[in-house]
Amino acid sequence: MATADEKNLDGGTEAAPLRIAVMGAGAVGCYFGGMLARAGHEVVLIGRPAHVQAIEADGLRLQTRGFDERVRVGASTHVGAVEGASLVLFCVKSTDTEAAAQAMRPHLGADTLLLSLQNGADNAERLRTLLPQPVRAAVVYVATEMAGPGHVLHHGRGELLVEPGRGGDDWAEAFRAAGVPVAISDDVRQALWVKLILNCAYNALSAISQQPYGLLVAGAGVTDVMHLIVRECVAVAAAEGVELPADIDASVLALAGSMPGQRSSTAQDLARGKSTEIDHLNGYVVRRGRQHAIATPVNQTLVTLVHLLESGRGAG
Ligand SMILES: NC(=O)C1=CN([C@@H]2O[C@H](COP(=O)(O)OP(=O)(O)OC[C@H]3O[C@@H](n4cnc5c(N)ncnc54)[C@H](OP(=O)(O)O)[C@@H]3O)[C@@H](O)[C@H]2O)C=CC1
Ligand SMILES: CC(C)(CO)C(=O)C(=O)O
């Protein structure tokens, strides 16, 4: 039985701080890691030297619409910093999933729970083939970016839809108390596909044009092309046994209205001369389509165009 001292003001039981490692201190990792550290959890952000040095010197700058604060949080360039964590937020790009998992593997506790906070439909599945620990997929609804070393800029949202599974759900209440809404849902596979379809419709077109979504959808013929992309994705999803909501086309169009100023993460990667996740977005649909003998020419064309732009800009 909890004593009065162990109770929150709202009557909930105050839990012990969680020990959380964030693998991949980029836009998503710094936002969620920063929110949890700000709420008093013991967080270490594992990332590249420029971010780690800035965070060690001045804390993580967490800039949201509601506040702009320096958050004291652990930071390391060493993957071994996952040691002792009960929870790992896995936040590297889908292209880095295998390399980061293999590097973490010797340092993870047997029961450490990994949450994959990544776009793409199969990251958790890929992690499960490499790690014996509990791994659960999370669909991430957030708009955030790194504005500079150790500086994360949050544009909106920030909720997680997590699949049920091994590792328990006690952490979820701590996330909610830290301002990170979490829902545990049996429909994560469907939700991952819905997110994948949004990414297929927007990411490559925004990347090729370097346009934010509001301008993009106003372009001549753009919503017609999006419709073709979505039709191919829906056909592949059906062959995979994934039933999609009937209003998927409306959801796709609605994204531009809810984030008119946002450029896709693929657009941001290209602009920085980095390689993109395109093979795990439209490229995934093309590969799964091939397995089911479903042609996906529009998605295939987008993959090729993005790869051409990557090679043209020396991305790597
Ligand atoms: N940004 C957003 O608003 C959203 C992103 N997502 C998804 O979330 C995932 C993460 O995206 P995002 O945060 O934007 O990506 P970022 O590129 O901003 O963050 C990933 C960071 O991890 C670093 N990293 C990779 N491997 C290692 C390693 N072995 N050791 C240390 N650091 C490493 C990367 O460095 P380097 O670049 O040098 O490799 C990079 O700084 C993606 O799947 C993305 O699609 C989902 C919803 C919204
Ligand atoms: C939802 C969307 C399209 C928001 O920008 C995204 O996930 C991304 O940019 O990768």
Side-chain angles (χ1 to χ4, degrees):
M1 171 82 73
T3 66
D5 283 344
E6 292 166 332
K7 295 267 186 183
N8 285 329
L9 287 178
D10 64 4
T13 303
E14 194 174 296
L18 297 169
R19 290 184 75 180
I20 301 164
V22 174
M23 183 63 225
V28 166
C30 287
Y31 172 70
F32 288 103
M35 289 294 286
L36 291 159
R38 183 173 178 260
H41 296 287
E42 200 182 313
V43 177
V44 60
L45 303 172
I46 301 167
R48 300 300 186 196
H51 292 307
V52 170
Q53 281 158 18
I55 294 165
E56 280 175 338
D58 300 314
L60 172 74
R61 182 170 173 200
L62 176 53
Q63 185 179 3
T64 72
R65 286 188 190 146
F67 62 85
D68 184 357
E69 289 176 12
R70 299 265 172 193
V71 179
R72 280 281 150 207
V73 55
S76 176
T77 55
H78 301 292
V79 171
V82 294
E83 223 158 287
S86 59
L87 187 60
V88 173
L89 304 185
F90 194 73
C91 303
V92 296
K93 287 274 168 66
S94 304
T95 41
D96 294 325
T97 293
E98 277 77 13
Q102 266 146 5
M104 281 190 323
R105 195 184 152 110
H107 307 286
L108 288 171
D111 299 324
T112 302
L113 168 64
L114 286 99
L115 298 181
S116 156
L117 271 59
Q118 299 167 286
N119 279 337
D122 68 345
N123 279 293
E125 211 175 296
R126 286 157 61 204
L127 282 171
R128 281 193 275 267
T129 66
L130 294 168
L131 302 171
Q133 284 77 11
V135 176
R136 289 158 68 179
V139 189
V140 189
Y141 299 101
V142 73
T144 182
E145 64 175 305
M146 292 311 287
H151 177 189
V152 62
L153 183 57
H154 176 243
H155 299 290
R157 298 190 68 172
E159 65 270 23
L160 303 175
L161 193 69
V162 179
E163 67 180 330
R166 290 194 296 139
D169 293 333
D170 291 350
W171 53 272
E173 199 41 56
F175 275 45
R176 291 180 196 117
V180 176
V182 173
I184 310 291
S185 164
D186 286 327
D187 276 339
V188 164
R189 189 155 183 246
Q190 184 202 60
L192 282 170
W193 265 91
V194 170
K195 185 80 197 287
L196 176 69
I197 292 175
L198 293 178
N199 291 132
C200 286
Y202 281 89
N203 284 41
L205 290 173
S206 169
I208 292 162
S209 63
Q210 285 295 316
Q211 285 192 8
Y213 303 155
L215 275 180
L216 183 67
V217 295
V222 170
T223 54
D224 295 337
V225 173
M226 285 182 167
H227 183 72
L228 296 173
I229 297 167
V230 174
R231 293 279 61 76
E232 291 181 4
C233 292
V234 168
V236 175
E240 294 270 290
V242 179
E243 201 181 314
L244 291 163
D247 61 352
I248 184 72
D249 284 293
S251 305
V252 168
L253 287 180
L255 184 78
S258 69
M259 300 182 177
Q262 178 81 2
R263 283 183 312 145
S264 70
S265 55
T266 310
Q268 294 175 38
D269 287 339
L270 272 189
R272 292 195 187 110
K274 287 176 63 176
S275 55
T276 73
E277 289 180 302
I278 199 71
D279 286 336
H280 300 276
L281 304 176
N282 308 75
Y284 179 76
V285 173
V286 172
R287 287 194 302 282
R288 297 312 306 159
R290 260 188 218 125
Q291 290 292 315
H292 300 289
I294 296 172
T296 53
V298 184
N299 281 281
Q300 198 171 351
T301 303
L302 292 173
V303 174
T304 302
L305 290 174
V306 170
H307 281 318
L308 283 171
L309 285 168
E310 283 174 341
S311 57
R313 290 173 197 211

